[in-house]
Amino acid sequence: MLVTCVKIYASFLAVSSTIKVARNPGDLVDAPAGFFKTLFVGTARADGLQVQHSHRMVLKEYAAFIDVKTRCVNPTIKFVHTLKNAGKPVGGSYQRAKFNSTEPGADIISFNTYELYMPTLAAHEYLHCYTHQNFINAVYGNASSLSPASQRKVIEGSTTYLTRKTPVSRAGDPFFVINRSYGNYVKFIKKVVHDIGEDTLKKAYLSGDPKSIERFFRAVHRYDI
């Protein structure tokens, strides 16, 4: 029985790999690790449909808070086999356009072609894209008294907190389980939200509302050590 099961599984892998190579012949050479990772767990390479679905879910969840004049206008979406940030492999990254740019496609969201948890990852990167410039300025501007570590904690913690509230598929999604540093960031943001309320976070992060930003950072400084 065991031998039969092994043969069936081997046949499945052979057929699956043949189909994957036929569809994207360069993948096996360009990204062998990712190719075999998806092969053994039975998933497909990431595609634009997954990203579009996550984008719709972000808009559905936060339409009441997103600034209609946001600079995140139809960002350019890229899929690459090797994606790194600060020299380390990452699943996705967001590149903000120049401050005065309103040209569609100027913002860039890049994804590792073979990430297994694209729905959550795409929602996360789109939330970065929709982060209001007022909030960005409050975190990184000349008047900010936050250390670089605290800046990252505020940005990634807020983004991850809101990502977890976005109704995307969580099936087989290890994104927030394996990234413990983001988990700690979220714990910090939960303390802040407990003080100010979730709507205040959304108004600060997505709407750029000055009073909400002020309340948010008062709470940040209260807990940040």
Side-chain angles (χ1 to χ4, degrees):
M1 181 65 179
L2 178 60
V3 173
T4 301
C5 290
V6 170
K7 287 182 178 179
I8 292 173
Y9 184 60
S11 299
F12 163 76
L13 292 180
V15 172
S16 297
S17 60
T18 300
I19 293 173
K20 287 177 184 289
V21 170
R23 287 178 176 172
N24 303 285
D27 285 359
L28 182 58
V29 175
D30 295 336
F35 178 88
F36 285 110
K37 180 171 68 175
T38 57
L39 177 65
F40 279 101
V41 297
T43 61
R45 89 204 295 268
D47 61 38
L49 291 177
Q50 292 172 311
V51 173
Q52 290 172 20
H53 175 71
S54 291
H55 187 197
R56 287 195 298 270
M57 292 299 100
V58 168
L59 292 175
K60 180 180 179 180
E61 185 71 13
Y62 300 114
F65 298 94
I66 291 175
D67 185 350
V68 295
K69 295 180 289 186
T70 179
R71 300 182 313 106
C72 188
V73 181
N74 297 325
T76 298
I77 303 297
K78 295 182 178 180
F79 292 95
V80 296
H81 289 325
T82 303
L83 184 62
K84 294 184 178 182
N85 186 13
K88 298 180 180 180
V90 294
S93 69
Y94 167 65
Q95 181 180 337
R96 184 168 286 256
K98 292 182 180 179
F99 178 76
N100 60 353
S101 175
T102 57
E103 179 185 355
D107 295 278
I108 300 172
I109 300 178
S110 301
F111 297 106
N112 187 324
T113 307
Y114 282 107
E115 286 305 330
L116 303 180
Y117 37 90
M118 187 56 63
T120 304
L121 188 63
H124 185 90
E125 299 306 331
Y126 262 105
L127 280 164
H128 275 307
C129 192
Y130 281 113
T131 308
H132 199 281
Q133 189 64 44
N134 290 351
F135 189 81
I136 296 292
N137 291 344
V139 176
Y140 296 111
N142 294 332
S144 174
S145 59
L146 297 177
S147 68
S150 293
Q151 290 170 349
R152 179 170 174 78
K153 179 165 58 176
V154 167
I155 289 293
E156 293 297 347
S158 299
T159 304
T160 305
Y161 178 91
L162 293 174
T163 302
R164 291 184 176 183
K165 300 287 183 175
T166 307
V168 295
S169 171
R170 300 286 192 258
D173 183 354
F175 182 51
F176 297 115
V177 174
I178 63 175
N179 200 323
R180 294 186 179 182
S181 60
Y182 281 12
N184 290 333
Y185 296 167
V186 171
K187 289 179 181 179
F188 172 76
I189 294 300
K190 283 182 176 179
K191 292 181 181 179
V192 173
V193 169
H194 179 75
D195 268 16
I196 66 175
E198 199 168 274
D199 276 6
T200 301
L201 168 63
K202 294 174 184 177
K203 289 177 182 177
Y205 181 97
L206 295 167
S207 307
D209 176 62
K211 290 185 178 179
S212 297
I213 289 175
E214 185 179 345
R215 286 189 63 197
F216 175 86
F217 279 96
R218 279 205 302 267
V220 164
H221 288 298
R222 192 152 51 241
Y223 290 110
D224 188 40
I225 56 175

